[in-house]
């Protein structure tokens, strides 16, 4: 029979250390948290060799009485909670009382502390858990903890340590997570005697974020705020033009403690859906404030993860707040300082010599657009077309309006558009174009095409250069999505069903996803063997061709290989469909197509990004133009 024995305190501490102290950065986290809990206004962290040789954290906080110093190093000894009920009202960063004991067990530790009431400080030492002291020593008010030779007696753990540089990366991250959340405290970090961060106290959060991450980020931050009876959510998210290749610049704090939460991270991703390119991640700094009794922080040894009582509501709060903010924010990429970073890729070259409006008109007949325009522009905007009766543009001899340069106004909220102020006599012909161009000035400029790919127009803020493909794609995507989500997608039933032969695996994937394809308006059946029959497909894709639509969709399904959620998949296929159906770069557009596109831009929820997240437009602000022409 195996004998049951009580483990020694030393073994218990080593086990706890195994959980809490993974690497030098864990020591930094625990010591800096203690310094913050002690009410310090200044915390200095000094590290050598990535923390493997030394971690020293000094603060000017409350200090510890000499007779309590030894107790502070004992396991399960804490001044932060007294009984189990206190667990539901913890607002300090620590409360488990095991950090110092764990660290002392696996390192050479020296702790020196002095309270305001005492003239002298006291110091204790621990050599792998064997204590010496306390003895008096001269030191300022506050506490200084020095950890040398971490893991010296746990060689297995020591072996897992990476290079000092990598460890320093973790240290820096642990330090910043706390420093960011406490802008009122002066924090410094040094590595091998060199200053890494010096963060003096500031009065607002943005200043601390700027000090840590730089001015460029700060310029892209958007303030968000939302409260319900229980939770206050506030902080900053970055404009979608500022993004990252990983999610490390997403900081979430709960009552000033850095936490990780998959669900809220997902909400963040959802909020940016369609605003970022695939594989790019949003940047966000979010603070949650809620009463401690609605969240359990005691589920993870280093308290990185917590359990919310109402996580669903929180999810919606984060998603809703961000979405609402984005809808009311002008996210158009701004071209403010073209001469600062001329090669950044975001800056368009000056538009010159682009085709004139007359050129556009002359090309009407050769238009390769997937746009059917009859007597009025009937651009395929997914069912929303400018209302015929209200379209006052006169007709030329081709039966088309000669121009679409009237002032457009949005009548009613349902997407109907009317052109007004268009007083061209109805008997004008194409021959009058040049004459008309002379009088063009009497019309409000609506837009023109340049290089067969960009639309140029003005807004209150300045001059906009719009990517025609990206914009049309965005418009179609939003219409598609709205219709698919509301189940109102028009489906064109094929009188003669189309058959399409594919590989056996393509056929299988198609049939497996029959319902999903149906939701997207693609109706298929098995014809037998390697052949599928298409009975119907979205009317909006009429000009693309049923077989192509199905092939693309199945390609996406295969590429995805069951990894994405259904919603993501639908979204991806919608992107693809919109992309295929949209006008291309290089397609000449006639004036009314330009007008119609620009008008629909106004109706877009997010006219600033194509569904892949590329910007659809750039703004040359009036201010910037004035500056460049030396008017100011
Ligand atoms: P916890 O932080 O969970 O209470 P620790 O082991 O980290 O446990 O610290 C034990 C106790 O030591 C704390 O509760 C606190 O009273 C005291 N202490 C630790 N560090 C400091 C510090 N920098 N300043 C003042 N008191 C401290
Ligand atoms: Mg602690």
């Amino acid at each position: 029979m195996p004998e049951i024995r009580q483990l020694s305190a030393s073994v218990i501490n080593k086990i706890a250390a195994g959980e809490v102290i993974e690497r030098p950065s864990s020591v930094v986290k625990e010591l800096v948290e203690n310094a913050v809990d002690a009410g310090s206004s200044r915390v200095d962290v000094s590290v050598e060799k990535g923390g493997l040789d030394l971690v020293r954290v000094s603060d000017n906080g409350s200090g510890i009485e000499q007779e309590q110093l030894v107790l502070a190093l004992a396991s399960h000894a804490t001044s932060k909670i007294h009984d189990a009920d206190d667990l539901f009202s913890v607002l300090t960063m620590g409360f488990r009382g095991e950090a110092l004991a764990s660290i002392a067990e696996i390192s050479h530790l020296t702790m020196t502390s002095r309270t305001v009431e005492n003239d002298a400080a006291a110091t204790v030492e621990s050599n792998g858990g064997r204590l010496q002291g306390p003895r008096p020593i001269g030191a300022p008010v506050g506490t200084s903890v020095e950890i040398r030779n971490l893991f010296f007696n746990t060689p297995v753990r020591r072996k897992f340590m990476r290079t000092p540089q990598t460890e320093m990366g973790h240290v820096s991250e642990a330090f910043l997570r706390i420093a960011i959340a406490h802008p009122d405290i002066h924090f410094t970090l040094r590595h091998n005697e060199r200053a890494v961060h010096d963060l003096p106290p500031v009065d607002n959060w943005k200043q601390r974020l700027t000090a840590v991450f730089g001015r460029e980020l700060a310029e892209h931050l958007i303030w968000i705020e939302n409260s319900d009876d229980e939770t206050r959510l506030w902080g900053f998210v970055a404009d979608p033009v500022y993004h990252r290749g990983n999610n490390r610049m997403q900081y979430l704090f709960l009552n000033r403690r850095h936490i990780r939460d998959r669900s809220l991270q997902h909400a963040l991703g959802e909020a940016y859906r369609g605003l970022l390119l695939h594989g790019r991640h949003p940047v966000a700094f979010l603070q949650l404030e809620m009463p401690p009794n609605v969240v359990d922080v005691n589920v993870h040894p280093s308290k990185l993860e917590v359990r919310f009582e109402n996580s669903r509501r929180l999810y919606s709060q984060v998603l809703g707040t961000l979405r609402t903010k984005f809808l009311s924010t002008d996210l158009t990429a701004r071209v403010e300082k073209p001469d600062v970073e001329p090669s950044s890729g975001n800056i368009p070259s000056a538009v010159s010599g682009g085709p004139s409006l007359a050129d556009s008109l002359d090309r009407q007949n050769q238009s390769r657009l997937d746009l059917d325009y009859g007597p009025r522009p009937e651009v395929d905007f997914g069912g929303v077309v400018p209302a015929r009766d209200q379209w006052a543009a006169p007709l030329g001899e081709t039966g088309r309006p000669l121009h679409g340069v009237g002032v457009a106004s949005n009548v009613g909220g349902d997407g109907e558009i009317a052109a007004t102020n268009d007083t061209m006599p109805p008997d004008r012909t194409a021959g009058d174009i040049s004459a008309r161009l002379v009088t063009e000035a009497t019309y409000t400029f609506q837009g023109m095409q340049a290089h067969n790919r960009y639309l140029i127009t003005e807004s209150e803020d300045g001059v906009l250069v719009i990517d025609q493909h990206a914009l049309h794609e965005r418009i179609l995507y939003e219409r598609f999505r709205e219709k698919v989500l509301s189940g109102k997608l028009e489906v064109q039933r094929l009188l003669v069903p189309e058959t399409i032969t594919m590989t056996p695996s393509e056929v299988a994937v198609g049939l497996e996803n029959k319902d999903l394809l149906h939701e997207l308006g693609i109706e298929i059946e098995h014809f037998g063997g390697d052949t599928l029959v298409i009975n119907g497909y979205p009317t909006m894709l009429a000009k693309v061709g049923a077989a192509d639509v199905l092939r693309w969709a199945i390609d996406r399904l295969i590429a995805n290989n069951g990894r994405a959620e259904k919603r993501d998949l639908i979204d991806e296929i919608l992107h693809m469909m919109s992309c295929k159906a949209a006008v291309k770069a290089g397609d000449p557009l006639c004036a009314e197509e330009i007008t119609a596109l620009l008008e629909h831009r106004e109706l877009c929820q997010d006219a600033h990004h194509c569904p892949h997240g590329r910007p659809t437009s750039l703004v040359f602000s009036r201010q910037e133009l004035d500056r460049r022409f030396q008017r100011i």
Side-chain angles (χ1 to χ4, degrees), residues 30 33-34 37 80 93-95 97 99-100 303:
E30 294 297 337
E33 285 187 352
N34 280 346
D37 282 345
K80 298 169 195 175
M93 309 203 65
F95 59 82
L100 287 180
K303 310 174 202 82

Side-chain angles (χ1 to χ4, degrees), residues 173-476:
E173 182 64 33
F175 167 87
L176 285 179
R177 284 172 180 170
I178 304 169
I180 290 172
H182 296 90
D184 48 334
I185 300 177
H186 189 160
F187 286 96
T188 67
L189 174 64
R190 298 176 74 77
H191 186 213
N192 300 338
E193 291 307 312
R194 289 192 30 205
V196 181
H197 286 290
D198 183 1
L199 304 169
V202 285
D203 345 305
N204 70 54
W205 205 27
K206 195 167 182 175
Q207 289 170 344
R208 173 62 45 104
L209 295 175
T210 310
V212 174
F213 298 103
R215 196 143 284 293
E216 199 203 342
L217 165 76
E219 278 165 8
H220 287 102
L221 291 180
I222 300 169
W223 169 253
I224 61 125
E225 190 176 16
N226 178 280
S227 300
D228 62 20
D229 42 340
E230 203 168 82
T231 311
R232 178 161 177 254
L233 164 69
W234 58 279
F236 297 96
V237 293
D239 186 305
V241 297
Y242 192 93
H243 43 70
R244 280 285 177 273
N246 56 51
N247 60 16
R248 265 180 262 148
M249 270 256 255
Q250 296 173 1
Y251 288 88
L252 179 61
F253 300 92
L254 166 68
N255 297 337
R256 302 288 162 122
R257 182 204 302 280
H258 172 263
I259 60 160
R260 216 170 40 200
D261 187 278
R262 274 168 169 260
S263 155
L264 295 182
Q265 208 155 6
H266 190 265
L268 181 66
E270 281 292 290
Y272 278 80
R273 177 190 284 279
L275 299 178
L276 293 179
L277 279 172
H278 194 69
R280 304 303 296 176
H281 296 262
V283 170
F285 304 89
L286 301 177
Q287 301 255 18
L288 287 167
E289 283 169 16
M290 59 179 75
N293 63 344
V294 298
V295 52
D296 189 354
V297 291
N298 191 24
V299 293
H300 190 269
S302 57
K303 310 174 202 82
L304 185 57
E305 277 159 30
V306 301
R307 201 175 288 137
F308 295 108
E309 194 174 272
N310 207 333
S311 60
R312 274 185 181 211
R313 191 161 90 177
L314 215 53
Y315 182 97
S316 316
Q317 191 177 7
V318 170
L319 180 58
T321 306
L322 267 59
R323 269 285 164 196
T324 311
K325 187 71 188 190
F326 290 156
L327 290 179
S328 64
T329 305
D330 182 8
L331 298 174
T332 308
R334 262 152 215 288
V335 184
E336 291 288 0
K337 301 178 193 89
D339 46 358
V340 175
E341 285 178 321
S343 59
S344 78
N346 241 1
I347 287 71
S349 57
V351 180
S352 60
S356 66
L357 192 61
D359 291 340
S360 292
L361 287 166
D362 285 344
R363 275 195 312 270
Q364 275 183 14
N365 293 324
Q366 345 146 19
S367 169
R368 287 182 287 115
L369 291 182
D370 176 34
L371 300 176
D372 167 33
Y373 51 90
R376 65 187 166 108
E378 217 162 280
V379 182
D380 188 353
F381 289 123
V384 177
V385 286
R388 180 190 293 265
D389 303 342
Q390 290 156 328
W391 189 268
L395 305 182
E397 57 188 0
T398 55
R400 299 179 182 125
L402 276 175
H403 54 88
V405 286
V407 179
S409 62
N410 186 353
V411 292
D414 58 357
E416 284 193 325
I417 291 176
T420 56
N421 192 28
D422 195 333
T423 51
M424 285 284 293
D427 56 351
R428 274 278 163 80
T429 67
D432 295 326
I433 286 172
S434 46
R436 189 166 62 77
L437 284 174
V438 176
T439 58
E440 199 65 72
T442 59
Y443 294 94
T444 300
F445 175 73
Q446 176 83 11
M448 64 170 282
Q449 193 185 27
H451 302 300
N452 286 348
R453 57 178 67 205
Y454 300 115
L455 308 182
I456 297 165
T457 188
E458 66 174 11
S459 75
E460 266 178 30
D461 303 339
V463 175
L464 279 149
V465 180
I466 298 166
D467 179 323
Q468 66 185 38
H469 171 72
L471 174 59
H472 193 200
E473 191 180 23
R474 183 80 218 180
I475 295 168
L476 289 176

Side-chain angles (χ1 to χ4, degrees), residues 24 27-36 40 42-47 54-60 110-112 142-147 171 175 187-189:
V27 172
V28 171
K29 170 183 183 284
E30 294 297 337
L31 297 184
V32 175
E33 285 187 352
N34 280 346
V36 170
S40 313
R42 173 153 189 158
V43 181
D44 296 298
V45 182
S46 190
V47 164
L54 169 77
V55 172
R56 185 193 304 119
V57 176
S58 308
D59 66 52
N60 62 357
T110 307
M111 179 154 87
T112 306
T143 304
S144 174
V145 185
E146 219 175 81
I147 310 297
V171 165
F175 167 87
F187 286 96
T188 67
L189 174 64

